[in-house]
């Protein structure tokens, strides 16, 4: 898939990506009723802006160098699809797991619903076992 430049949703998506990458001031890029379908969280769902902010804060505390790099993107009227690569070093506790000092890199894809200048929903598609394996939690 060839990368495409965002036009209609460039600002909310740019701010949303900046939030993941450590700019905590960008929380207004997500709606109050934001929903994230995230395979690594208990129950697989994060509901609401405050819960999402808390999740990103916990993630960035455990992986202070965490980054998401968008590799390719497609944009529709209210839908944005992105292929991305996530990277980070496990330096703090996360989901009850002690820090390992190891790094991970994994690829994934997300589908976003964007309306009224805000990200309303994200559905993430990736295998969290790949990260657990790289961090040493699935070793025999």
């Amino acid at each position: 898939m060839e990368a495409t430049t965002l036009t209609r949703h460039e600002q909310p998506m740019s701010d949303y990506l900046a939030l993941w990458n450590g700019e905590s001031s960008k929380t207004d890029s997500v709606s109050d009723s934001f929903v994230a379908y995230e395979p690594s969280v208990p129950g697989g769902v994060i509901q609401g802006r405050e819960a999402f902010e808390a999740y990103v804060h916990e993630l960035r505390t455990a992986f202070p160098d965490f980054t998401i790099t968008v590799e390719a993107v497609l944009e529709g009227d209210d839908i944005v699809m992105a292929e991305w690569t996530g990277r980070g070093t496990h330096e703090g506790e996360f989901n009850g797991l002690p820090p390992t000092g190891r790094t991970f890199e994994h690829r994934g894809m997300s589908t976003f619903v964007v309306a009224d200048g805000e990200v309303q929903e994200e559905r993430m598609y990736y295998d969290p076992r790949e990260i657990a394996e790289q961090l040493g939690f699935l070793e025999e």
Side-chain angles (χ1 to χ4, degrees):
M1 175 162 65
E2 196 170 304
T4 306
T5 302
L6 287 170
T7 54
R8 183 178 198 183
H9 303 300
E10 182 176 0
Q11 192 61 55
M13 290 304 300
S14 177
D15 288 349
Y16 184 74
L17 182 61
L19 178 61
W20 276 105
N21 288 335
E23 292 185 42
S24 58
S25 65
K26 301 293 185 177
T27 57
D28 60 347
S29 63
V30 298
S31 70
D32 287 333
S33 60
F34 176 77
V35 177
Y37 297 91
E38 171 32 301
S40 73
V41 300
V45 179
I46 301 167
Q47 293 187 301
R49 179 188 287 168
E50 288 182 16
F52 181 67
E53 286 177 45
Y55 174 75
V56 171
H57 176 75
E58 179 186 8
L59 178 76
R60 295 210 50 86
T61 299
F63 301 90
D65 63 345
F66 181 78
T67 58
I68 293 284
T69 304
V70 174
E71 309 294 343
V73 66
L74 294 172
E75 180 180 37
D77 289 339
D78 293 330
I79 301 290
V80 175
M81 296 182 72
E83 283 188 61
W84 47 262
T85 301
R87 297 173 181 89
T89 307
H90 191 200
E91 297 181 7
E93 185 175 309
F94 186 69
N95 285 341
L97 300 171
T100 63
R102 291 182 172 190
T103 61
F104 75 89
E105 178 176 312
H106 74 108
R107 301 252 342 204
M109 186 168 189
S110 291
T111 302
F112 303 91
V113 175
V114 183
D116 302 321
E118 297 175 320
V119 179
Q120 306 287 324
E121 178 181 298
E122 179 181 11
R123 291 182 181 266
M124 299 172 220
Y125 304 96
Y126 70 93
D127 185 354
R129 294 173 299 182
E130 181 181 356
I131 299 167
E133 184 177 304
Q134 291 179 44
L135 296 178
F137 293 117
L138 298 182
E139 292 180 350
E140 294 181 35

